[in-house]
Amino acid sequence: MTLTLRIVQWLLYLPLHLLVAVARYPLAPVAVASFTTNDKRFLLFPFTWLETIDNDLSGDDGWRTEHIRPGSDPLSLWNRIRWLWRNGGNRVNYMVLGCPDDPNFRADWGDTQDRDALWIRDDGYWMIRGHIPIGRKYLYLFVGWSLFGPLCARCKFTCTIRIKTN
């Protein structure tokens, strides 16, 4: 019964998740241009919900090395907007839609987390993670809650479906 309730919960949260994902595109330029701290690293009210909880507006190391032109300022207006287009709303996915972390669950599975595609905790929170081959590409599925990647003692709500190359 617990799993069924968590599936219903996930389905009820999905529209808000999608709304945040869509809203970040028109709102990121407004937020970055008019609602940032003087050092350009953080958003001010009412746009703090658009931030990521683990990085400031300069992005993470992967973002800075893979998505920003060499020599480009990560804190330029354009790069901060692009960071939010890619990762905006992360705070909502952890703090509002996410679930509490269960360190015991993670400890039980340790480094074997890539072994299975379906994971279900005793409290019903679940995740599906898989790569389905499609020719030379993969359909990447990551739905449910990110049970192995907690931040601030929270596991992120997620619905990621994309096509990736090897």
Side-chain angles (χ1 to χ4, degrees), residues 112-123:
T112 65
Q113 63 180 294
D114 292 328
R115 185 189 66 174
D116 295 328
L118 174 63
W119 295 89
I120 303 170
R121 291 193 331 202
D122 290 340
D123 57 3

Side-chain angles (χ1 to χ4, degrees), residues 147-159:
L147 302 179
F148 292 107
L151 289 175
C152 301
R154 303 283 296 171
C155 297
K156 177 176 70 171
F157 178 95
T158 189
C159 180

Side-chain angles (χ1 to χ4, degrees), residues 33-147:
S34 302
F35 292 89
T36 56
T37 57
N38 289 336
D39 64 3
K40 302 179 182 179
R41 294 188 174 276
F42 300 96
L43 295 173
L44 299 170
F45 181 83
F47 291 104
T48 53
W49 63 271
L50 198 53
E51 291 182 321
T52 60
I53 64 171
D54 54 342
N55 292 286
D56 63 23
L57 293 175
S58 68
D60 58 25
D61 290 338
W63 169 258
R64 288 188 295 271
T65 57
E66 294 174 29
H67 299 283
I68 296 178
R69 285 190 337 256
S72 178
D73 179 7
L75 290 172
S76 72
L77 179 71
W78 180 241
N79 285 333
R80 289 180 292 149
I81 290 169
R82 288 178 54 234
W83 168 253
L84 290 179
W85 281 348
R86 181 175 171 89
N87 297 293
N90 172 287
R91 179 176 301 280
V92 173
N93 290 329
Y94 276 97
M95 304 314 236
V96 177
L97 305 176
C99 68
D101 180 32
D102 182 348
N104 294 323
F105 176 81
R106 286 187 293 109
D108 288 343
W109 297 104
D111 293 332
T112 65
Q113 63 180 294
D114 292 328
R115 185 189 66 174
D116 295 328
L118 174 63
W119 295 89
I120 303 170
R121 291 193 331 202
D122 290 340
D123 57 3
Y125 287 104
W126 55 275
M127 74 176 190
I128 297 171
R129 181 176 52 197
H131 297 82
I132 301 167
I134 304 173
R136 301 179 112 167
K137 298 182 179 187
Y138 287 88
L139 180 65
Y140 176 73
L141 300 172
F142 196 174
V143 295
W145 285 270
S146 182
L147 302 179

